[in-house]
Amino acid sequence: MKADGPPWLKFSIRVDPFSLFSHSSYTLLSNMADQAYGTQSDAYAAENDLHRRTSKKSQPALSEDGGVVAADELLQAMGYKSELVRNRSTFQVAFMSFVMASVPYGLSTTLYYPVVNGGPVNIIWGWVLVSLIILCVAASLGEITSVYPTAGGVYYQSFMLSPQHYRKIVSWICGWAFVVGNITITLAVNFGTASFLAACINVFESEPGVGIFAAEAYQVWLIFFGITILCNLVSALGNRWLPILDTFAIYWTFAGVIALIVCILAIAKEGRRNARYVFGEFDTSNSGWPAGWSFFVGLLHAAYATSSTGMIISMCEEVQKPATQVPKAMVGTIVLNMIMGIVFLIPLLFVFPDQAMLAALASGQPVPTIVKSAIGNSGGAFALFIPLLVLGIICGIGCTTAASRCTWAFARDGAIPGFQWWSKVNAKLDVPLNAMMLSMVVQLLLGLIYFGSTAAFNAFSGVGVITLTLSYAVPIIASVMDGRKQIKEGSFYLGALGAFCNWVAILWSLLVIPLFCMPTYLPITVATMNYASVVFAGFVAIATGWYFIWGKKNYQGPPTQADAVLEARRASIVSHPDNKF
């Protein structure tokens, strides 16, 4: 019986594919990477216990066949050394993916967009539509990740899939989009938690319609500052316990959502809407946009909550079997998130107050007002917000972790100024601490935009969605242009279904970039302008300019360029029977 794969990869099923390469072959590949890219030497790795390490408390009982050692050898064949702890199982990486989406929290902090642009139809059917589209994006990325499972994620994949003459600039732009997307979406999560907390506090009123908390710009920014510092501290100092925190978040989310929906439906102080309103009401009178375009602008709500889909790829070098576990986690999480979102949103719509009143809220946070209206009690309403607030913090920790990994991975290939500093891993903490601090500082500085625009959160979330969507699209487009040849050898190959998903993902990307640069409503003022377009244009200009100033001469891309090395890498990825999807 012969193993599946390209003709040049066929061999007896009894042969371990990793036995095709001797220890000296891997050493040669490692040395090539060291000489070309200045990665840490074997002596340094041994001294600091960096190579092929796993968490002592979670040491997996796996053989080389599909296990941790095989994953490290695969990584080494792609030109990198294993420097991070592989302490996550399939469920744990799926839980982290779920946490980074944090659907009830994500849908709560951005509900303002569909409230203004369409109401219930935009909220429910927009969520279902975007979830199905993102499922196609996840499937497309899953196929590619099963062949190229590295922390570089879409950046590395773009390099390997693109034509040789263009791969450097393609991977450069994709990498910068991925890094900027990770950082800005993390910023949006933490800033969203700050503004949501301020709105939750104001369910307590000093007089009717006046909350007890002024929520001045400097106050909201200071809350955001504290949340950002907290998330970075937990991510840096508690790395070994993060899988446990992600698991806790799953149970916490379900318990919190059940408590919330039961209470608001059972009490419903202001009465309940009928099903026709919940599933069929479409009111665009608050947006100023034409009805069809208004619906699409309102999709930022759902797009934001699902934008973290590909961020989990950055955790590939901390997963025991990344080629199979990460693709399954990405796709499975989208399905779970879609169901969770429907379960969360429908009860809110049954107790939905006046839409125009919600659209006029100065806080831009309708959920606290909806819940308080249904409960009729400030204390009870605030108690129901606690699960969402805690989930927001955990989401921020997950996004902080992923953002630090993608920044570190891009820096180790020399693409970020000062890469020698940002590409270091703290051996004691098992995290790329320098890269994490870089990400944190950038977030805090960008957060200052809030002092000049009350629509800053709109810009943060918009830029995060746009840049991440762009970074996801690049390897998918490259794969399609290559005829999907390279992904056929992966363990998550979906055949014709995968090709369909690719085109859905590409068309979605073409829509998202201009769409989420649009203001939420008309008319536009300096304060309500969506500055996502400005930030995005600035990113493109800086990334492109820096490439021609410095990158074109100095940037070489990932350390796998020679045909012989590419062939070695592909052979090392041949799937084991127990790893098949």
Side-chain angles (χ1 to χ4, degrees):
M1 180 178 178
K2 299 291 182 181
D4 294 331
W8 55 272
L9 284 177
K10 289 187 177 179
F11 51 84
S12 171
I13 196 71
R14 292 170 297 177
V15 177
D16 181 356
F18 290 99
S19 68
L20 293 173
F21 303 97
S22 64
H23 175 73
S24 60
S25 299
Y26 284 111
T27 302
L28 174 62
L29 291 170
S30 176
N31 290 339
M32 290 172 64
D34 283 353
Q35 293 171 10
Y37 299 93
T39 53
Q40 296 183 9
S41 66
D42 289 334
Y44 181 92
E47 179 182 349
N48 292 278
D49 191 28
L50 292 177
H51 186 57
R52 295 186 184 174
R53 288 180 300 126
T54 56
S55 175
K56 293 180 180 179
K57 288 193 174 183
S58 59
Q59 177 75 31
L62 297 172
S63 66
E64 287 193 9
D65 195 12
V68 170
V69 173
D72 285 349
E73 289 179 337
L74 167 57
L75 182 65
Q76 193 171 4
M78 288 190 283
Y80 299 111
K81 291 186 178 182
S82 180
E83 299 183 63
L84 302 175
V85 175
R86 295 189 182 275
N87 63 344
R88 294 180 185 270
S89 64
T90 301
F91 282 113
Q92 288 170 336
V93 73
F95 291 165
M96 182 177 180
S97 184
F98 178 85
V99 163
M100 287 195 294
S102 293
V103 164
Y105 159 79
L107 294 179
S108 295
T109 57
T110 55
L111 191 66
Y112 183 73
Y113 303 128
V115 165
V116 170
N117 286 283
V121 164
N122 219 163
I123 294 171
I124 287 293
W125 301 115
W127 170 247
V128 173
L129 173 64
V130 172
S131 293
L132 293 176
I133 293 172
I134 298 302
L135 184 61
C136 292
V137 175
S140 299
L141 292 177
E143 283 189 311
I144 299 171
T145 301
S146 70
V147 180
Y148 300 108
T150 77
V154 291
Y155 140 73
Y156 182 95
Q157 295 162 0
S158 298
F159 183 90
M160 302 303 292
L161 293 167
S162 297
Q164 189 163 356
H165 294 299
Y166 306 106
R167 55 175 41 171
K168 281 177 59 176
I169 190 169
V170 168
S171 65
W172 174 277
I173 296 295
C174 179
W176 274 105
F178 193 46
V179 170
V180 171
N182 271 260
I183 292 175
T184 52
I185 212 70
T186 304
L187 163 62
V189 167
N190 292 336
F191 204 93
T193 304
S195 59
F196 187 69
L197 174 59
C200 289
I201 293 173
N202 279 332
V203 297
F204 298 99
E205 299 176 338
S206 57
E207 59 183 87
V210 180
I212 62 173
F213 183 50
E216 299 287 346
Y218 79 92
Q219 293 173 317
V220 175
W221 189 88
L222 286 175
I223 296 173
F224 156 71
F225 178 86
I227 291 172
T228 301
I229 296 298
L230 174 62
C231 290
N232 279 270
L233 284 174
V234 174
S235 181
L237 303 179
N239 183 58
R240 64 190 303 179
W241 295 291
L242 292 184
I244 299 174
L245 181 63
D246 295 337
T247 304
F248 162 78
I250 295 291
Y251 296 102
W252 179 264
T253 300
F254 279 94
V257 168
I258 290 172
L260 179 65
I261 64 178
V262 167
C263 289
I264 62 175
L265 289 178
I267 299 174
K269 194 79 172 180
E270 302 296 328
R272 301 174 185 83
R273 300 281 191 175
N274 57 41
R276 184 175 181 179
Y277 177 88
V278 170
F279 297 103
E281 177 69 13
F282 185 56
D283 179 6
T284 63
S285 61
N286 301 294
S287 73
W289 292 109
W293 188 249
S294 184
F295 175 83
F296 283 110
V297 172
L299 294 181
L300 179 57
H301 169 241
Y304 169 74
T306 55
S307 61
S308 64
T309 299
M311 290 172 65
I312 195 65
I313 302 174
S314 296
M315 303 302 295
C316 275
E317 294 177 33
E318 295 170 68
V319 177
Q320 294 163 9
K321 299 180 182 179
T324 54
Q325 291 173 328
V326 173
K328 291 178 183 178
M330 281 195 292
V331 173
T333 302
I334 297 300
V335 176
L336 178 61
N337 284 341
M338 181 170 67
I339 296 171
M340 174 63 76
I342 293 171
V343 171
F344 176 72
L345 291 172
I346 290 178
L348 288 179
L349 292 176
F350 271 107
V351 295
F352 212 59
D354 179 66
Q355 186 178 334
M357 180 271 291
L358 294 176
L361 289 172
S363 67
Q365 295 290 343
V367 171
T369 301
I370 296 171
V371 174
K372 183 182 177 181
S373 172
I375 297 298
N377 178 275
S378 297
F382 189 82
L384 292 174
F385 298 144
I386 293 176
L388 294 178
L389 291 168
V390 172
L391 185 59
I393 298 294
I394 298 175
C395 177
I397 294 169
C399 290
T400 296
T401 302
S404 69
R405 291 346 183 237
C406 86
T407 304
W408 164 75
F410 201 38
R412 73 178 171 182
D413 286 330
I416 298 178
F419 63 88
Q420 298 93 335
W421 179 257
W422 313 124
S423 60
K424 291 183 178 180
V425 173
N426 186 297
K428 292 182 178 179
L429 299 177
D430 290 322
V431 298
L433 185 62
N434 294 348
M436 186 181 293
M437 294 301 100
L438 173 64
S439 173
M440 181 186 72
V441 170
V442 172
Q443 291 172 48
L444 294 175
L445 291 176
L446 286 175
L448 295 174
I449 294 175
Y450 186 66
F451 288 100
S453 171
T454 55
F457 176 66
N458 195 0
F460 302 151
S461 54
V463 170
V465 172
I466 290 168
T467 51
L468 284 176
T469 302
L470 172 63
S471 71
Y472 301 159
V474 173
I476 297 173
I477 292 172
S479 178
V480 170
M481 291 180 65
D482 188 46
R484 292 169 46 84
K485 296 175 185 176
Q486 296 190 44
I487 63 173
K488 291 180 181 179
E489 61 196 62
S491 60
F492 202 77
Y493 179 63
L494 300 176
L497 177 60
F500 171 78
C501 291
N502 290 170
W503 281 109
V504 171
I506 292 170
L507 293 174
W508 169 247
S509 303
L510 293 175
L511 173 65
V512 161
I513 294 175
L515 179 63
F516 296 145
C517 288
M518 297 293 149
T520 306
Y521 56 85
L522 300 176
I524 304 171
T525 66
V526 173
T528 61
M529 170 63 183
N530 182 358
Y531 290 97
S533 57
V534 178
V535 178
F536 179 67
F539 145 69
V540 172
I542 293 172
T544 305
W546 185 245
Y547 176 79
F548 287 104
I549 292 172
W550 182 87
K552 188 175 183 180
K553 180 179 179 180
N554 298 282
Y555 170 69
Q556 299 301 319
T560 9
Q561 301 184 61
D563 291 340
V565 180
L566 288 174
E567 189 168 317
R569 186 212 56 73
R570 288 171 182 163
S572 71
I573 292 174
V574 175
S575 304
H576 300 284
D578 62 335
N579 282 346
K580 282 292 183 183
F581 173 61

